[in-house]
Amino acid sequence: MDILRFITCGSVDDGKSTLIGRLLYDSDSVSLDVLATLEKKRNATNSTDVDLALLTDGLKAEREQGITIDVAHKYFTTPRRKFIITDAPGHVQYTRNMVTGASNADLAIVLVDARQGVIEQTRRHTLLASLLGIRQFVLAVNKLDLVGYDEAVFQQIVADYQEIAGQLKLAHVVAIPLSALHGDNVVKRSKHIDWYHGPSLLEHLESVPVPADANPHEPRFQVQYVIRPQTEELPDYRSYAGRIQSGTYRVGDRVRVWPSGLETVIDVIEIDQKAVASATAPQGVVLSLRDDVDVSRGSTIVPVSAHPAVVRELEATLCWMDERPLRAGRKLLVQHHAAVVKASVTTILQKTDIETFESQGTDEAKLNDIVRVRLKTALPLVVDEYRQNRATGAFILVDEQTGATLAAGLVAATDPEYFTQEIPVEPAFSI
């Protein structure tokens, strides 16, 4: 059974929590103890309906206390497919959470309040989702019950969103009118929306094609931890733990260790302390190499036939997340999985206007701006362009002094020849 990972986007109060709750509740994916709690709370308030948003309230409480990671996930299964829901908040100040969640999603549900229509946050989240490589979109026009299930309202919002889809060249957008509160067209077809003849949201999620891995062929493995017990039993043992980011690794593969460029052979692959002949992304593995070559945390091991970019200069799209504006010359750290190197922003090339999606010149990036920049790093980084490999084409920028996350970055260009030429850059959204 395959897995579909999707994220719910949209502004605050568009009904994301209620929609997730309705999906879980109507698909019989809520455990009996949680159902009992919901019923208890409904009885206490003398309400006729359970509060579906309570199904995600535990996640919200954790977020407010700052004790959880940037995004939270929910899991459920139907007879046709497994699902992983990424729940990201709608507030503009939490845009970083949305970026984090969308980076692992196959599909984005963009919620729009039928009373509000398409707003700036709709445009921002759609732009970010498209930048992050999502190709499947659902325009979920929610709260249609509050406008009398009016088809004209729905069609106007669809027309407004089609302009966005056209500007961003989104090829796969499905619009569904619904009311998460009353369950219209979420899991079951609505009897209130007889003018709509398409699938319910769940029917669409169960049938939409799951994209293949962004890069199933090019093997990438970055060392997260060097294992050297140096005990009496294992005085010379040395191996390298990490997760295969893409592709397949086999015992006997002749590999090159970057950035040193030294060659050796994979002698052993272990998964859960058991030797295996091969392993494929996204498995976590321990590799042992035939030769005692220089390998450290952040090194990348790839077959000699693979050719990742090993660069000290790259061009990237950034979503700036810091209150202090970014200006050229800023020194910071690039964290690319386990690799952390000093870097500086040499040039801010352009900024994307959220209203028009047009690129415009700028000399700084403010909070939540989406900009194209050039970076120089103190040491070589082994990366891929994001459009070629989502796993190895993304990074974050970190403040040297405070350790705070400053920006999410997507590698846009790495070709050394590119940086010697003054050629026009592509629009920021057309990756």
Side-chain angles (χ1 to χ4, degrees):
M1 186 179 289
D2 58 16
I3 299 175
L4 180 71
R5 299 172 176 83
F6 65 90
I7 183 171
T8 53
C9 312
S11 186
V12 62
D13 291 334
D14 279 350
K16 292 187 293 299
S17 296
T18 302
L19 178 67
I20 294 172
R22 177 61 69 183
L23 265 176
L24 299 174
Y25 189 80
D26 282 5
S27 62
D28 299 324
S29 302
V30 182
S31 61
L32 293 177
D33 58 329
V34 175
L35 279 176
T37 302
L38 292 176
E39 290 292 341
K40 186 176 180 181
K41 291 189 176 181
R42 178 174 67 174
N43 293 334
T45 58
N46 294 320
S47 173
T48 56
D49 298 307
V50 297
D51 186 354
L52 297 172
L54 291 175
L55 290 172
T56 60
D57 273 359
L59 305 176
K60 285 182 177 177
E62 288 183 349
R63 226 168 15 231
E64 288 165 358
Q65 295 173 53
I67 58 173
T68 189
I69 58 175
D70 284 347
V71 294
H73 299 92
K74 282 283 187 181
Y75 306 84
F76 75 105
T77 302
T78 69
R80 300 185 63 181
R81 180 169 277 175
K82 294 181 179 178
F83 299 95
I84 301 176
I85 309 173
T86 298
D87 176 32
H91 293 82
V92 68
Q93 63 265 39
Y94 292 134
T95 299
R96 72 179 68 183
N97 303 38
M98 185 271 168
V99 172
T100 304
S103 64
N104 293 313
D106 305 312
L107 178 147
I109 298 175
V110 182
L111 268 83
V112 173
D113 186 328
R115 299 167 301 173
Q116 305 295 328
V118 172
I119 60 177
E120 179 179 313
Q121 198 69 330
T122 312
R123 302 178 67 84
R124 176 178 283 107
H125 280 181
T126 304
L127 170 61
L128 288 170
S130 66
L131 280 170
L132 289 160
I134 293 176
R135 294 292 174 261
Q136 297 284 352
F137 286 79
V138 174
L139 171 64
V141 181
N142 192 23
K143 302 188 181 183
L144 218 61
D145 55 304
L146 298 181
V147 295
Y149 297 103
D150 189 339
E151 182 180 5
V153 173
F154 172 73
Q155 294 298 350
Q156 182 59 55
I157 292 172
V158 172
D160 292 342
Y161 194 79
Q162 281 176 339
E163 287 188 23
I164 298 174
Q167 290 172 305
L168 297 178
K169 301 177 183 175
L170 306 181
H172 307 287
V173 180
V174 172
I176 300 177
L178 55 85
S179 167
L181 182 63
H182 298 294
D184 294 300
N185 286 338
V186 178
V187 172
K188 304 168 185 173
R189 302 286 184 94
S190 171
K191 61 182 179 182
H192 299 111
I193 312 176
D194 54 2
W195 43 264
Y196 173 74
H197 305 291
S200 71
L201 177 61
L202 183 60
E203 288 172 341
H204 178 66
L205 295 177
E206 285 183 319
S207 59
V208 68
V210 176
D213 267 350
N215 183 22
H217 304 300
E218 281 285 292
R220 298 285 186 269
F221 172 85
Q222 191 189 67
V223 177
Q224 295 176 345
Y225 187 69
V226 178
I227 302 174
R228 292 189 66 193
Q230 293 182 303
T231 60
E232 290 186 4
E233 296 79 10
L234 299 168
D236 300 319
Y237 183 87
R238 185 184 178 95
S239 61
Y240 310 100
R243 184 174 66 86
I244 297 177
Q245 296 161 307
S246 59
T248 298
Y249 283 74
R250 298 176 179 82
V251 172
D253 278 352
R254 186 155 195 85
V255 294
R256 184 173 284 119
V257 181
W258 292 105
S260 67
L262 298 173
E263 290 186 20
T264 181
V265 175
I266 295 177
D267 259 356
V268 179
I269 300 175
E270 293 179 88
I271 298 176
D272 296 332
Q273 298 184 327
K274 295 180 180 177
V276 297
S278 65
T280 301
Q283 292 179 297
V285 298
V286 175
L287 302 184
S288 297
L289 304 179
R290 181 168 300 172
D291 304 297
D292 188 16
V293 296
D294 180 19
V295 183
S296 58
R297 176 180 167 84
S299 296
T300 297
I301 300 173
V302 297
V304 293
S305 57
H307 301 286
V310 185
V311 297
R312 291 184 57 182
E313 185 169 15
L314 59 89
E315 193 167 301
T317 300
L318 301 183
C319 177
W320 187 249
M321 300 172 175
D322 193 54
E323 296 284 352
R324 291 186 303 161
L326 169 70
R327 295 188 177 86
R330 175 85 176 264
K331 291 181 171 51
L332 29 69
L333 299 174
V334 173
Q335 182 171 343
H336 181 250
H337 300 281
V340 180
V341 301
K342 291 185 176 182
S344 66
V345 176
T346 58
T347 310
I348 300 177
L349 296 165
Q350 60 189 32
K351 180 175 78 172
T352 300
D353 186 301
I354 295 298
E355 286 298 321
T356 64
F357 297 138
E358 292 179 350
S359 299
Q360 54 190 223
T362 184
D363 56 3
E364 68 175 14
K366 297 178 181 177
L367 179 65
N368 290 325
D369 276 352
I370 298 168
V371 293
R372 185 75 72 93
V373 303
R374 287 183 179 180
L375 284 165
K376 277 190 175 180
T377 60
L379 296 171
L381 274 178
V382 184
V383 298
D384 293 285
E385 293 182 14
Y386 187 80
R387 73 182 82 188
Q388 302 296 331
N389 192 326
R390 292 176 73 179
T392 58
F395 61 87
I396 60 173
L397 297 181
V398 178
D399 188 290
E400 278 189 293
Q401 304 300 322
T402 66
T405 300
L406 301 174
L410 310 175
V411 179
T414 57
D415 184 357
E417 297 293 326
Y418 179 83
F419 297 101
T420 65
Q421 304 174 35
E422 292 298 329
I423 58 176
V425 295
E426 298 177 355
F429 54 80
S430 60
I431 64 172

